[in-house]
Amino acid sequence: MQIKENFPLRLYNTFGIDAKARYFSTFTNEDELYELTTHDSPKESLRTRLTTFILGGGSNILLVKDFDGLVLKNEVKGIELVHEDPEYVYVKAGAGENWHQFVLHCLAHNWAGVENLSLIPGNVGAAPIQNIGAYGVELDDVFWNLEAFHLFDKKRYTFTRVDCEFSYRDSIFKSKYKNEFAILSVTLQLKKHPVYHTSYGSLNEELEKMGAKTLSIKAISQAVINIRSSKLPDPKEIPNAGSFFKNPEVPIAKHEELKSQFPDIVAFPLTKLSVKLSAGWMIEQCGWKGYRKGDAGCHAKQGLVLVNYGKATGKEVYDLSEQILQSVKNKFGVILEREVNVI
Ligand code: FAD
Ligand code: EPU
């Protein structure tokens, strides 16, 4: 547990932004985390309290400047079957486990529920932060509880599903308790007998294309992997952080008004009173898809994904996101919200 100074973070964020952390360390268990956060600062001579940032796989952050504090990379490992009953298994995973490797582990054991969430980058511990979701399933659907260490009062707490206040790309850890807790482990309630979720349009099409004779969690996972690989840029090749913005929710009346002006607008029903608009479609209509200025750009196959072609700074990517936001607001009167955590 060595604390490093002026630590380069380029390899620790999937946007590949070249920013530094004033201090950096990893931790593999609660005791190490306790020790790292108990001193006012890692240097006895410094008396100021350092801002602490818990880092996972760095796949949902944009570093707009050097981080003047302590970055603690969560490397708590382990996957354990903690309980089972005739219907469910309860599986606990360390926050530092890679999410997709965890999904593969579940598939290998025939534990159902996370197959639609295949290939999402990042670690298990970050999954509850924004209630990860894809292809018709959210973490919320399989979540049982989590254990988290409070960075200020240094105690461990258990959060149930209700406590987490999950909603679309959001939880209590992204709002009220932002940067207060380090999640140590997450326990999911997975099914022994699968219930398949295949209603997401492109998923159905892909399963048909694959000619999967009988549906299975492995076939669904493969279909999701195929779709994702075909349109989302691999951060190892073109650094990015997935969808940069959320898909905005608007009242039915606003949707009707937009539809009369833009008959092709892409929207998904949400509740009786609201719909979700495709931010990617609106960004594309504003002419941003495939746009590039310097090394910051908007991906050619997915307007929602901003990319770094090499040496873009966090500020350049942020400025591009601001331009996109303004143009969508001007054309559609809709204000996009960033999904990525700007640090
Ligand atoms: P980081 O980027 O390291 O951290 C994100 C936030 O969580 C930060 O605020 C950080 O402080 C906090 N955090 C991380 N770990 C902990 C912890 N243990 N305790 C407390 N706080 C913590 N997301 C989706 O929901 N659906 C998708 O389909 C999807 N597709 C993506 C595709 C690509 C190509 C990429 C690059 C990203 C995609 N994402 C998607 C976003 C991202 O993968 C998820 O948000 C993921 O959960 C982030 O995990 P991470 O470990 O990299 O988190
Ligand atoms: N579309 C366009 N142009 C674009 C992008 C999308 O017209 O450039 C339209 C198309 O009609 C397309 C529809 O929007 O059929 C939906 O696109 P897609 O299936 O790619 O989904 P998305 O809304 O762009 C969301 C999530 C993704 C998640 C997928 C699959 C958000 C912000 N993004 O993207 O999550 O993987 O659905 O469920 O909700 C992420 O959060 O980082 C992420 C990648």
Side-chain angles (χ1 to χ4, degrees):
M1 229 180 28
Q2 198 197 346
I3 296 173
K4 297 178 179 142
E5 256 185 273
N6 290 323
F7 187 80
L9 293 171
R10 194 175 65 79
L11 300 177
Y12 291 80
N13 70 99
T14 61
F15 247 128
I17 302 294
D18 200 5
K20 288 193 176 64
R22 187 166 165 208
Y23 299 108
F24 177 93
S25 185
T26 58
F27 63 96
T28 58
N29 57 48
E30 188 180 348
D31 291 344
E32 289 183 357
L33 179 60
Y34 181 86
E35 213 180 298
L36 283 161
T37 53
T38 299
H39 303 293
D40 272 353
S41 86
K43 295 272 163 194
E44 290 305 326
S45 57
L46 281 172
R47 288 280 163 236
T48 49
R49 186 176 191 158
L50 285 169
T51 314
T52 302
F53 182 78
I54 305 295
L55 181 67
S59 66
N60 206 22
I61 58 171
L62 176 68
L63 296 157
V64 288
K65 53 181 184 309
D66 289 342
F67 185 74
D68 187 22
L70 173 64
V71 171
L72 294 177
K73 184 167 177 340
N74 191 320
E75 292 188 349
V76 178
K77 293 285 160 76
I79 301 178
E80 196 190 342
L81 172 61
V82 285
H83 178 66
E84 63 182 302
D85 57 34
E87 258 186 88
Y88 299 106
V89 287
Y90 298 80
V91 185
K92 179 174 170 178
E97 288 288 343
N98 173 273
W99 173 262
H100 183 61
Q101 291 307 314
F102 171 70
V103 171
L104 293 180
H105 183 92
C106 295
L107 290 173
H109 287 80
N110 269 318
W111 298 332
V114 285
E115 53 282 359
N116 294 52
L117 303 176
S118 295
L119 214 62
I120 297 182
N123 293 350
V124 167
I129 303 286
Q130 72 158 10
N131 178 28
I132 56 168
Y135 301 96
V137 171
E138 289 184 333
L139 184 80
D140 185 16
D141 299 321
V142 288
F143 183 86
W144 186 248
N145 68 21
L146 64 78
E147 288 181 309
F149 176 87
H150 194 264
L151 295 170
F152 309 140
D153 79 11
K154 325 282 180 204
K155 291 194 186 115
R156 194 195 326 163
Y157 295 84
T158 299
F159 288 78
T160 63
R161 187 171 163 261
V162 172
D163 298 332
C164 292
E165 295 181 12
F166 291 126
S167 60
Y168 167 61
R169 298 294 189 273
D170 206 7
S171 76
I172 201 159
F173 303 104
K174 215 178 169 182
S175 52
K176 189 168 149 197
Y177 293 150
K178 195 173 162 81
N179 295 331
E180 279 191 39
F181 284 92
I183 294 173
L184 298 168
S185 67
V186 178
T187 301
L188 301 185
Q189 183 193 47
L190 300 170
K191 289 193 170 72
K192 288 183 172 175
H193 312 289
V195 173
Y196 303 123
H197 301 278
T198 58
S199 57
Y200 197 95
S202 51
L203 181 53
N204 245 326
E205 284 162 30
E206 182 60 30
L207 282 162
E208 266 175 40
K209 207 163 100 192
M210 280 165 55
K213 290 206 174 63
T214 47
L215 212 46
S216 67
I217 54 174
K218 289 191 177 106
I220 291 177
S221 168
Q222 192 55 54
V224 168
I225 290 173
N226 294 350
I227 302 169
R228 296 184 72 97
S229 312
S230 73
K231 62 175 162 188
L232 286 168
D234 179 348
K236 287 197 196 88
E237 286 158 22
I238 311 177
N240 73 89
S243 298
F244 198 90
F245 302 98
K246 294 185 191 182
N247 286 324
E249 298 176 15
V250 298
I252 297 273
K254 173 71 183 170
H255 176 233
E256 292 300 327
E257 178 199 318
L258 285 169
K259 211 169 157 46
S260 64
Q261 225 183 324
F262 307 98
D264 297 335
I265 193 162
V266 179
F268 309 94
L270 208 56
T271 65
K272 278 186 188 149
L273 301 172
S274 63
V275 297
K276 200 184 267 186
L277 300 177
S278 161
W281 183 86
M282 291 190 286
I283 291 169
E284 187 177 346
Q285 297 304 306
C286 290
W288 291 106
K289 205 164 160 179
Y291 174 89
R292 174 174 178 171
K293 185 181 178 201
D295 276 348
C298 183
H299 190 54
K301 291 187 194 162
Q302 230 304 355
L304 256 188
V305 179
L306 301 192
V307 294
N308 172 11
Y309 286 106
K311 289 205 161 70
T313 61
K315 176 145 188 328
E316 284 165 346
V317 174
Y318 184 85
D319 288 348
L320 173 59
S321 77
E322 194 57 36
Q323 279 181 281
I324 293 174
L325 213 145
Q326 283 305 329
S327 70
V328 168
K329 186 178 161 202
N330 293 341
K331 193 175 173 93
F332 299 100
V334 173
I335 298 177
L336 296 181
E337 195 187 326
R338 291 178 182 85
E339 175 191 307
V340 169
N341 300 280
V342 177
I343 313 295

